[in-house]
Amino acid sequence: MAWSKYQLCLAATMLVTGSINTLSAKWADDFSAAGCHGSAVHKFNHPFLQAVGMFLGEVCCLAAFHIVLCYDRQKPEPQMASARNFNSFIFLPPAVCDMLATSIMYIALNLTSASSFQMLRGAVIIFTGLLSVAFLGRKLIVSQWVGIFFTICGLVVVGLADFVSKKSDQEQHLSRVITGDLLIVMAQIIVAIQMVLEEKFVSKHDVHPLRAVGTEGIFGFIILTLLLIPMYYIPVGEFGGNPRGVLEDALDAFCQIAKKPLIVMALLGNILSISFFNFAGISVTKEISATTRMVLDSLRTVIIWIVSLAVGWEQFHWLQILGFTILLTGAFLYNGFHKPILERLPWYQSPGVENPERDELLIDKDSINYSS
């Protein structure tokens, strides 16, 4: 069936804004400017402040929800169910997980390339699958275990590509890249916990996805904004990436922004892209299919990689293509997207016994969270 103009617009919006989300964050990291009190020119290294911006983008989804709700109410036959009362604090644990994972990933983005950042986020399949077995009582079928195996192989290949492409650089630079890659994979454990919490406690309340994203965004924005105060005084040395050597120096960030206004463009690109990406992604799932959303989410990795090559952020290496292909294969197998192809083969016989639930946990809301 051919897509309508509206569906094409949604797909394009999701693809473009999803790519801008990572690229704008990396663009901000690439800026250098002097900070407060006459400090020397240094990189814009403020992952926690960027995470606050990401949550602000999620808060905008709550405004989008009310706009969509009002528009629906104008129809002769409204399709959206009436807004149900629920305890907003059920979103607090997932929001805390989102806050931790996003902050870690923005730290990692300062250390590794944008394309590796996007590819390695595919590790969420591994941890989501294992946690869903342990805490949700699900049983993974053979194709899902094979998908997890492919994902692990893909992560190894992507990590190897980073190692090989950076081995000619300084040893310190190589260690930064490896640390960044490991942080991204570690963050996916927290993302998987977030997804399991949402599945176990949130989904049964039948909350509209935009409202859920917006509510989590409010919690994340408030908590992380308050945490910027103690972070201003916590010494971490060179790890902080700022002249004072603290965990996060928000004042230094604002001084850099004042001296390099283009940083605002990058931050706004991140905030707005998060909002439009979540809205477009949810709409694509509703108007077209979850399969299409997954394919578009994979395509944005390709766009991020091509743009990164074009602007000189990284160098081409064939292992990245191989790693991406293996990761994509793992995602397709895990989500069962290979079955329609097999069913068209004349010799294929459906097992009949297996009727796995499609893992809705892997429908990316950001973030991610990518989800950033």
Side-chain angles (χ1 to χ4, degrees), residues 339-370:
K339 290 185 177 180
I341 299 175
L342 290 177
E343 290 172 354
R344 293 183 180 181
L345 299 176
W347 49 265
Y348 176 76
Q349 292 183 352
S350 177
V353 178
E354 296 178 347
N355 185 24
E357 298 178 359
R358 177 168 296 174
D359 196 347
E360 295 179 357
L361 298 178
L362 294 180
I363 302 301
D364 181 28
K365 83 172 182 60
D366 104 83
S367 133
I368 77 279
N369 215 90
Y370 265 334

mmCIF file of all heavy atoms in Angstrom, residues 339-370:
data_model
loop_
_atom_site.group_PDB
_atom_site.id
_atom_site.type_symbol
_atom_site.label_atom_id
_atom_site.label_comp_id
_atom_site.label_asym_id
_atom_site.label_seq_id
_atom_site.Cartn_x
_atom_site.Cartn_y
_atom_site.Cartn_z
ATOM 1 N N LYS A 339 10.085 -12.993 9.872
ATOM 2 C CA LYS A 339 9.019 -13.980 9.669
ATOM 3 C C LYS A 339 8.182 -13.731 8.418
ATOM 4 O O LYS A 339 7.872 -14.680 7.691
ATOM 5 C CB LYS A 339 8.130 -14.029 10.912
ATOM 6 C CG LYS A 339 8.849 -14.660 12.096
ATOM 7 C CD LYS A 339 7.915 -14.820 13.270
ATOM 8 C CE LYS A 339 8.646 -15.519 14.417
ATOM 9 N NZ LYS A 339 7.767 -15.695 15.579
ATOM 10 N N PRO A 340 7.775 -12.474 8.144
ATOM 11 C CA PRO A 340 7.009 -12.271 6.906
ATOM 12 C C PRO A 340 7.762 -12.723 5.657
ATOM 13 O O PRO A 340 7.150 -13.196 4.701
ATOM 14 C CB PRO A 340 6.769 -10.754 6.894
ATOM 15 C CG PRO A 340 6.848 -10.343 8.321
ATOM 16 C CD PRO A 340 7.881 -11.235 8.926
ATOM 17 N N ILE A 341 9.096 -12.597 5.677
ATOM 18 C CA ILE A 341 9.888 -13.037 4.527
ATOM 19 C C ILE A 341 9.872 -14.554 4.433
ATOM 20 O O ILE A 341 9.683 -15.135 3.354
ATOM 21 C CB ILE A 341 11.338 -12.515 4.656
ATOM 22 C CG1 ILE A 341 11.347 -10.981 4.689
ATOM 23 C CG2 ILE A 341 12.200 -13.025 3.498
ATOM 24 C CD1 ILE A 341 12.712 -10.378 4.931
ATOM 25 N N LEU A 342 10.051 -15.221 5.566
ATOM 26 C CA LEU A 342 10.057 -16.684 5.570
ATOM 27 C C LEU A 342 8.708 -17.254 5.163
ATOM 28 O O LEU A 342 8.630 -18.271 4.456
ATOM 29 C CB LEU A 342 10.450 -17.202 6.959
ATOM 30 C CG LEU A 342 11.904 -16.985 7.401
ATOM 31 C CD1 LEU A 342 12.096 -17.482 8.828
ATOM 32 C CD2 LEU A 342 12.866 -17.683 6.462
ATOM 33 N N GLU A 343 7.638 -16.600 5.605
ATOM 34 C CA GLU A 343 6.293 -17.118 5.323
ATOM 35 C C GLU A 343 5.957 -17.081 3.837
ATOM 36 O O GLU A 343 5.037 -17.779 3.393
ATOM 37 C CB GLU A 343 5.262 -16.321 6.128
ATOM 38 C CG GLU A 343 5.331 -16.612 7.625
ATOM 39 C CD GLU A 343 4.455 -15.686 8.445
ATOM 40 O OE1 GLU A 343 3.886 -14.745 7.841
ATOM 41 O OE2 GLU A 343 4.345 -15.880 9.662
ATOM 42 N N ARG A 344 6.672 -16.275 3.071
ATOM 43 C CA ARG A 344 6.422 -16.204 1.625
ATOM 44 C C ARG A 344 7.130 -17.324 0.860
ATOM 45 O O ARG A 344 6.843 -17.550 -0.303
ATOM 46 C CB ARG A 344 6.886 -14.852 1.091
ATOM 47 C CG ARG A 344 6.043 -13.683 1.607
ATOM 48 C CD ARG A 344 6.506 -12.376 0.996
ATOM 49 N NE ARG A 344 5.714 -11.244 1.483
ATOM 50 C CZ ARG A 344 5.890 -9.988 1.105
ATOM 51 N NH1 ARG A 344 6.838 -9.694 0.229
ATOM 52 N NH2 ARG A 344 5.125 -9.033 1.600
ATOM 53 N N LEU A 345 8.048 -17.995 1.541
ATOM 54 C CA LEU A 345 8.751 -19.087 0.888
ATOM 55 C C LEU A 345 7.856 -20.319 0.827
ATOM 56 O O LEU A 345 7.241 -20.688 1.841
ATOM 57 C CB LEU A 345 10.049 -19.412 1.642
ATOM 58 C CG LEU A 345 11.076 -18.267 1.726
ATOM 59 C CD1 LEU A 345 12.264 -18.686 2.579
ATOM 60 C CD2 LEU A 345 11.545 -17.870 0.329
ATOM 61 N N PRO A 346 7.751 -20.999 -0.329
ATOM 62 C CA PRO A 346 6.819 -22.126 -0.475
ATOM 63 C C PRO A 346 7.156 -23.312 0.434
ATOM 64 O O PRO A 346 6.268 -24.046 0.852
ATOM 65 C CB PRO A 346 6.951 -22.501 -1.957
ATOM 66 C CG PRO A 346 8.276 -21.955 -2.383
ATOM 67 C CD PRO A 346 8.488 -20.719 -1.570
ATOM 68 N N TRP A 347 8.435 -23.487 0.746
ATOM 69 C CA TRP A 347 8.832 -24.642 1.547
ATOM 70 C C TRP A 347 8.786 -24.393 3.040
ATOM 71 O O TRP A 347 8.998 -25.298 3.849
ATOM 72 C CB TRP A 347 10.250 -25.081 1.164
ATOM 73 C CG TRP A 347 11.244 -23.954 1.117
ATOM 74 C CD1 TRP A 347 11.619 -23.248 0.020
ATOM 75 C CD2 TRP A 347 11.972 -23.394 2.217
ATOM 76 N NE1 TRP A 347 12.552 -22.277 0.340
ATOM 77 C CE2 TRP A 347 12.793 -22.357 1.684
ATOM 78 C CE3 TRP A 347 12.028 -23.660 3.577
ATOM 79 C CZ2 TRP A 347 13.626 -21.586 2.487
ATOM 80 C CZ3 TRP A 347 12.869 -22.900 4.374
ATOM 81 C CH2 TRP A 347 13.659 -21.872 3.827
ATOM 82 N N TYR A 348 8.497 -23.118 3.437
ATOM 83 C CA TYR A 348 8.515 -22.800 4.871
ATOM 84 C C TYR A 348 7.225 -23.224 5.535
ATOM 85 O O TYR A 348 6.132 -22.991 5.034
ATOM 86 C CB TYR A 348 8.726 -21.293 5.064
ATOM 87 C CG TYR A 348 8.655 -20.850 6.520
ATOM 88 C CD1 TYR A 348 9.726 -21.091 7.371
ATOM 89 C CD2 TYR A 348 7.525 -20.216 7.014
ATOM 90 C CE1 TYR A 348 9.670 -20.691 8.705
ATOM 91 C CE2 TYR A 348 7.477 -19.814 8.339
ATOM 92 C CZ TYR A 348 8.548 -20.059 9.183
ATOM 93 O OH TYR A 348 8.478 -19.669 10.491
ATOM 94 N N GLN A 349 7.355 -23.876 6.671
ATOM 95 C CA GLN A 349 6.201 -24.267 7.467
ATOM 96 C C GLN A 349 6.275 -23.564 8.816
ATOM 97 O O GLN A 349 7.273 -23.700 9.538
ATOM 98 C CB GLN A 349 6.175 -25.786 7.680
ATOM 99 C CG GLN A 349 5.910 -26.578 6.404
ATOM 100 C CD GLN A 349 5.826 -28.063 6.680
ATOM 101 O OE1 GLN A 349 6.103 -28.514 7.773
ATOM 102 N NE2 GLN A 349 5.438 -28.817 5.657
ATOM 103 N N SER A 350 5.228 -22.842 9.135
ATOM 104 C CA SER A 350 5.196 -22.132 10.406
ATOM 105 C C SER A 350 5.144 -23.132 11.551
ATOM 106 O O SER A 350 4.380 -24.098 11.509
ATOM 107 C CB SER A 350 3.971 -21.210 10.468
ATOM 108 O OG SER A 350 3.915 -20.578 11.724
ATOM 109 N N PRO A 351 5.945 -22.933 12.616
ATOM 110 C CA PRO A 351 5.947 -23.859 13.743
ATOM 111 C C PRO A 351 4.591 -23.998 14.412
ATOM 112 O O PRO A 351 4.248 -25.049 14.911
ATOM 113 C CB PRO A 351 6.975 -23.246 14.709
ATOM 114 C CG PRO A 351 7.821 -22.378 13.855
ATOM 115 C CD PRO A 351 6.926 -21.875 12.760
ATOM 116 N N GLY A 352 3.823 -22.904 14.396
ATOM 117 C CA GLY A 352 2.479 -22.971 14.972
ATOM 118 C C GLY A 352 2.478 -22.881 16.477
ATOM 119 O O GLY A 352 1.624 -22.262 17.086
ATOM 120 N N VAL A 353 3.471 -23.500 17.098
ATOM 121 C CA VAL A 353 3.523 -23.496 18.557
ATOM 122 C C VAL A 353 4.007 -22.162 19.073
ATOM 123 O O VAL A 353 3.557 -21.663 20.082
ATOM 124 C CB VAL A 353 4.464 -24.627 19.062
ATOM 125 C CG1 VAL A 353 4.556 -24.607 20.573
ATOM 126 C CG2 VAL A 353 3.977 -25.965 18.548
ATOM 127 N N GLU A 354 4.969 -21.595 18.311
ATOM 128 C CA GLU A 354 5.558 -20.351 18.771
ATOM 129 C C GLU A 354 4.704 -19.168 18.366
ATOM 130 O O GLU A 354 4.319 -19.029 17.217
ATOM 131 C CB GLU A 354 6.964 -20.191 18.173
ATOM 132 C CG GLU A 354 7.928 -21.279 18.644
ATOM 133 C CD GLU A 354 9.282 -21.111 17.993
ATOM 134 O OE1 GLU A 354 9.364 -20.328 17.023
ATOM 135 O OE2 GLU A 354 10.242 -21.750 18.427
ATOM 136 N N ASN A 355 4.396 -18.340 19.313
ATOM 137 C CA ASN A 355 3.651 -17.118 19.026
ATOM 138 C C ASN A 355 4.209 -16.009 19.901
ATOM 139 O O ASN A 355 3.549 -15.550 20.828
ATOM 140 C CB ASN A 355 2.158 -17.337 19.321
ATOM 141 C CG ASN A 355 1.334 -16.127 18.923
ATOM 142 O OD1 ASN A 355 1.746 -15.352 18.067
ATOM 143 N ND2 ASN A 355 0.197 -15.961 19.564
ATOM 144 N N PRO A 356 5.449 -15.630 19.652
ATOM 145 C CA PRO A 356 6.120 -14.683 20.538
ATOM 146 C C PRO A 356 5.497 -13.301 20.481
ATOM 147 O O PRO A 356 5.034 -12.866 19.447
ATOM 148 C CB PRO A 356 7.560 -14.655 19.998
ATOM 149 C CG PRO A 356 7.399 -14.969 18.548
ATOM 150 C CD PRO A 356 6.244 -15.936 18.465
ATOM 151 N N GLU A 357 5.529 -12.631 21.612
ATOM 152 C CA GLU A 357 5.073 -11.250 21.648
ATOM 153 C C GLU A 357 6.185 -10.367 21.101
ATOM 154 O O GLU A 357 7.343 -10.552 21.413
ATOM 155 C CB GLU A 357 4.775 -10.841 23.089
ATOM 156 C CG GLU A 357 3.655 -11.670 23.726
ATOM 157 C CD GLU A 357 3.437 -11.234 25.171
ATOM 158 O OE1 GLU A 357 4.158 -10.333 25.619
ATOM 159 O OE2 GLU A 357 2.559 -11.794 25.812
ATOM 160 N N ARG A 358 5.809 -9.472 20.249
ATOM 161 C CA ARG A 358 6.810 -8.519 19.766
ATOM 162 C C ARG A 358 7.226 -7.648 20.930
ATOM 163 O O ARG A 358 6.399 -7.150 21.683
ATOM 164 C CB ARG A 358 6.219 -7.644 18.659
ATOM 165 C CG ARG A 358 7.200 -6.581 18.172
ATOM 166 C CD ARG A 358 6.705 -5.946 16.913
ATOM 167 N NE ARG A 358 6.655 -6.928 15.854
ATOM 168 C CZ ARG A 358 6.153 -6.674 14.653
ATOM 169 N NH1 ARG A 358 5.651 -5.485 14.392
ATOM 170 N NH2 ARG A 358 6.136 -7.607 13.728
ATOM 171 N N ASP A 359 8.529 -7.474 21.072
ATOM 172 C CA ASP A 359 9.051 -6.764 22.233
ATOM 173 C C ASP A 359 8.835 -5.260 22.093
ATOM 174 O O ASP A 359 9.622 -4.556 21.487
ATOM 175 C CB ASP A 359 10.539 -7.059 22.397
ATOM 176 C CG ASP A 359 11.025 -6.675 23.780
ATOM 177 O OD1 ASP A 359 10.296 -5.976 24.492
ATOM 178 O OD2 ASP A 359 12.129 -7.081 24.133
ATOM 179 N N GLU A 360 7.736 -4.795 22.672
ATOM 180 C CA GLU A 360 7.394 -3.382 22.542
ATOM 181 C C GLU A 360 8.375 -2.503 23.297
ATOM 182 O O GLU A 360 8.398 -1.296 23.122
ATOM 183 C CB GLU A 360 5.970 -3.148 23.055
ATOM 184 C CG GLU A 360 4.916 -3.863 22.211
ATOM 185 C CD GLU A 360 3.522 -3.635 22.772
ATOM 186 O OE1 GLU A 360 3.429 -2.987 23.821
ATOM 187 O OE2 GLU A 360 2.561 -4.110 22.172
ATOM 188 N N LEU A 361 9.177 -3.129 24.171
ATOM 189 C CA LEU A 361 10.134 -2.339 24.923
ATOM 190 C C LEU A 361 11.160 -1.687 24.013
ATOM 191 O O LEU A 361 11.774 -0.694 24.378
ATOM 192 C CB LEU A 361 10.871 -3.248 25.923
ATOM 193 C CG LEU A 361 9.998 -3.922 26.982
ATOM 194 C CD1 LEU A 361 10.868 -4.810 27.849
ATOM 195 C CD2 LEU A 361 9.285 -2.904 27.832
ATOM 196 N N LEU A 362 11.365 -2.260 22.812
ATOM 197 C CA LEU A 362 12.425 -1.766 21.954
ATOM 198 C C LEU A 362 11.965 -0.644 21.046
ATOM 199 O O LEU A 362 12.716 -0.178 20.209
ATOM 200 C CB LEU A 362 13.003 -2.924 21.117
ATOM 201 C CG LEU A 362 13.711 -3.983 21.964
ATOM 202 C CD1 LEU A 362 14.251 -5.070 21.074
ATOM 203 C CD2 LEU A 362 14.837 -3.361 22.763
ATOM 204 N N ILE A 363 10.709 -0.245 21.140
ATOM 205 C CA ILE A 363 10.277 0.924 20.364
ATOM 206 C C ILE A 363 10.842 2.159 21.035
ATOM 207 O O ILE A 363 10.387 2.592 22.081
ATOM 208 C CB ILE A 363 8.728 0.990 20.307
ATOM 209 C CG1 ILE A 363 8.177 -0.286 19.692
ATOM 210 C CG2 ILE A 363 8.287 2.188 19.544
ATOM 211 C CD1 ILE A 363 8.681 -0.577 18.288
ATOM 212 N N ASP A 364 11.890 2.718 20.426
ATOM 213 C CA ASP A 364 12.656 3.798 21.027
ATOM 214 C C ASP A 364 11.804 5.042 21.229
ATOM 215 O O ASP A 364 11.134 5.494 20.348
ATOM 216 C CB ASP A 364 13.831 4.126 20.093
ATOM 217 C CG ASP A 364 14.704 5.210 20.640
ATOM 218 O OD1 ASP A 364 14.748 5.329 21.860
ATOM 219 O OD2 ASP A 364 15.339 5.914 19.845
ATOM 220 N N LYS A 365 11.841 5.590 22.428
ATOM 221 C CA LYS A 365 11.090 6.805 22.690
ATOM 222 C C LYS A 365 12.018 8.010 22.691
ATOM 223 O O LYS A 365 11.565 9.141 22.763
ATOM 224 C CB LYS A 365 10.351 6.684 24.002
ATOM 225 C CG LYS A 365 11.201 7.012 25.235
ATOM 226 C CD LYS A 365 10.374 7.054 26.469
ATOM 227 C CE LYS A 365 11.184 7.432 27.678
ATOM 228 N NZ LYS A 365 11.829 8.733 27.600
ATOM 229 N N ASP A 366 13.227 7.913 22.730
ATOM 230 C CA ASP A 366 14.058 9.047 22.691
ATOM 231 C C ASP A 366 14.729 9.284 21.647
ATOM 232 O O ASP A 366 15.549 9.724 21.888
ATOM 233 C CB ASP A 366 15.200 9.165 23.261
ATOM 234 C CG ASP A 366 16.504 9.066 22.326
ATOM 235 O OD1 ASP A 366 17.172 9.400 21.724
ATOM 236 O OD2 ASP A 366 16.985 8.780 21.799
ATOM 237 N N SER A 367 14.742 8.369 23.221
ATOM 238 C CA SER A 367 15.597 8.590 23.599
ATOM 239 C C SER A 367 16.303 8.236 22.943
ATOM 240 O O SER A 367 16.148 7.676 23.482
ATOM 241 C CB SER A 367 15.757 8.527 24.748
ATOM 242 O OG SER A 367 16.088 8.359 25.568
ATOM 243 N N ILE A 368 15.576 7.564 23.956
ATOM 244 C CA ILE A 368 16.285 7.549 23.769
ATOM 245 C C ILE A 368 16.486 7.599 23.128
ATOM 246 O O ILE A 368 16.374 7.341 22.878
ATOM 247 C CB ILE A 368 16.428 7.426 24.355
ATOM 248 C CG1 ILE A 368 16.527 6.893 25.166
ATOM 249 C CG2 ILE A 368 16.902 6.847 24.942
ATOM 250 C CD1 ILE A 368 16.415 6.862 25.262
ATOM 251 N N ASN A 369 16.725 7.135 24.027
ATOM 252 C CA ASN A 369 16.511 7.277 24.394
ATOM 253 C C ASN A 369 17.154 7.578 23.619
ATOM 254 O O ASN A 369 16.918 7.445 23.707
ATOM 255 C CB ASN A 369 16.503 7.560 25.100
ATOM 256 C CG ASN A 369 16.244 7.711 25.969
ATOM 257 O OD1 ASN A 369 16.523 7.421 25.774
ATOM 258 N ND2 ASN A 369 16.650 7.671 25.809
ATOM 259 N N TYR A 370 17.355 7.449 22.233
ATOM 260 C CA TYR A 370 18.592 7.731 21.638
ATOM 261 C C TYR A 370 17.908 8.366 21.399
ATOM 262 O O TYR A 370 18.530 8.409 20.554
ATOM 263 C CB TYR A 370 18.458 7.538 21.697
ATOM 264 C CG TYR A 370 18.728 7.296 22.419
ATOM 265 C CD1 TYR A 370 19.220 7.476 22.403
ATOM 266 C CD2 TYR A 370 18.876 7.202 22.115
ATOM 267 C CE1 TYR A 370 19.813 7.241 22.230
ATOM 268 C CE2 TYR A 370 19.433 7.141 22.240
ATOM 269 C CZ TYR A 370 19.782 7.530 21.696
ATOM 270 O OH TYR A 370 20.239 6.839 22.251
#
